[in-house]
Amino acid sequence: MATENGELTSAGYIQHHLKNLTVCHTEQGWQWSGADNNYVCDGNFTAFHVDSIGWSIFLGVFFLWLFRRIAKKVEIEKPGKLQSFVEMIVEFVDKSVKDTFHGKSPVIAPLSLTIFVWIFLMNLMDLIPVDLLPWAFHAGGVDYMKVVPSTDPNITFGLSLSVFVLIIFYSIKIKGAGGFFKELAFQPFGPWMMPFNLILEGIGLLAKPVSLALRLFGNLYAGELIFMLIALLFTAGIGGAVGGVLAHIVWAIFHILVIVLQAFIFMMLTIVYLSMAHEDH
């Protein structure tokens, strides 16, 4: 952590907040990243970002618990505000699937709902003040704590690679292995241009999970970084504190749009890609 005369600098503050709580296996056994061994897990293939994994699981379980609780206590005549909100989300996702997905699959709608709500909840963590939860965990002896899973490329690539596996699975299931290979090898310029077709279609296929992961990661990472820069204003006296509060409110209001939009884009691209996988040429 960058310090000057024992005090944390602006660069050190940002670097500290961008570092994950990590555990990895070394020659000395399993070790945690901490103040005394900041870089012990850097470049280690066995490293696990415990905070990203933990918050992702927590938010996923919260999503399942909340929707199950509402489904069990559903009111037809006098629905509550939370039930109405959840029903609005379900109807919105269902309509998006019906308008975009042209195949027949009982998996796509539940998958789309899970993707949208789960990513929305992960993105929503970005609205929590950047120092609140890290400070609380630091008081408990935890040196690092990133609470926005979608700012971790490991999480976003995990989501996108899961979608990619489904794309390959349904492409082979609907078209057959031979049909899937022909789609890659014979389009768009016919069988005589097979090597060029394979390169062109192969790049397009691999670009799908990469674009899904990097789009979500880049937007949320940039938003988190701006919140950190705004937080530094509070160290500039009364004027900086007032400006920091106003800047935080303005950016948080704008960032709500980013949070919802990125969850929606990830969901819609997933539906589009799986719809393409179900098309049998």
Side-chain angles (χ1 to χ4, degrees):
M1 190 183 305
T3 59
E4 289 182 1
N5 300 324
E7 296 183 0
L8 187 65
T9 65
S10 298
Y13 171 83
I14 293 175
Q15 290 174 7
H16 181 270
H17 276 281
L18 292 178
K19 197 166 184 65
N20 289 92
L21 175 64
T22 309
V23 63
C24 63
H25 190 270
T26 66
E27 295 179 354
Q28 290 75 36
W30 288 96
Q31 294 191 28
W32 292 85
S33 59
D36 297 329
N37 54 353
N38 286 341
Y39 307 106
V40 67
C41 292
D42 288 1
N44 191 320
F45 186 74
T46 64
F48 292 92
H49 290 176
V50 179
D51 45 9
S52 295
I53 296 173
W55 285 110
S56 298
I57 294 174
F58 170 76
L59 294 170
V61 172
F62 174 74
F63 156 62
L64 294 175
W65 170 81
L66 179 63
F67 274 57
R68 182 176 182 272
R69 179 175 178 271
I70 294 174
K72 290 182 65 177
K73 297 183 178 182
V74 63
E75 292 284 347
I76 299 178
E77 296 181 357
K78 295 181 179 180
K81 294 181 180 179
L82 185 57
Q83 178 185 325
S84 299
F85 179 69
V86 169
E87 288 178 350
M88 182 178 65
I89 293 176
V90 173
E91 290 175 2
F92 167 73
V93 173
D94 186 59
K95 184 177 184 302
S96 299
V97 172
K98 289 179 179 178
D99 293 342
T100 308
F101 184 74
H102 304 300
K104 291 183 178 180
S105 174
V107 176
I108 305 303
L111 174 67
S112 302
L113 178 65
T114 302
I115 287 175
F116 178 75
V117 178
W118 197 15
I119 293 179
F120 170 75
L121 291 175
M122 288 193 284
N123 295 350
L124 192 65
M125 297 293 288
D126 211 10
L127 295 182
I128 299 175
V130 293
D131 288 317
L132 181 60
L133 290 178
W135 175 83
F137 278 91
H138 182 73
V142 179
D143 292 310
Y144 301 108
M145 179 56 58
K146 286 188 67 176
V147 301
V148 188
S150 47
T151 60
D152 188 341
N154 295 283
I155 297 297
T156 60
F157 268 100
L159 291 169
S160 67
L161 289 176
S162 299
V163 174
F164 183 67
V165 169
L166 290 175
I167 293 172
I168 301 298
F169 171 77
Y170 281 113
S171 294
I172 296 177
K173 179 181 178 181
I174 301 300
K175 306 175 179 74
F180 179 52
F181 175 77
K182 290 179 181 179
E183 189 176 76
L184 294 177
F186 298 163
Q187 293 184 14
F189 301 114
W192 299 105
M193 295 287 287
M194 184 173 67
F196 183 76
N197 292 334
L198 281 173
I199 295 174
L200 189 64
E201 292 295 318
I203 293 175
L205 182 64
L206 295 176
K208 292 177 180 178
V210 174
S211 63
L212 277 175
L214 292 183
R215 180 184 291 106
L216 178 60
F217 162 72
N219 281 277
L220 271 297
Y221 183 86
E224 182 188 40
L225 193 58
I226 291 176
F227 275 123
M228 293 177 191
L229 295 174
I230 292 173
L232 290 173
L233 292 174
F234 289 90
T235 63
I238 300 298
V242 173
V245 170
L246 294 176
H248 188 278
I249 293 174
V250 172
W251 179 245
I253 293 173
F254 173 78
H255 202 54
I256 293 174
L257 175 62
V258 177
I259 287 171
V260 178
L261 186 61
Q262 290 306 312
F264 172 73
I265 290 175
F266 199 104
M267 178 195 73
M268 287 303 300
L269 288 178
T270 299
I271 298 172
V272 170
Y273 292 156
L274 292 177
S275 179
M276 294 169 61
H278 280 74
E279 293 176 357
D280 187 11
H281 297 284

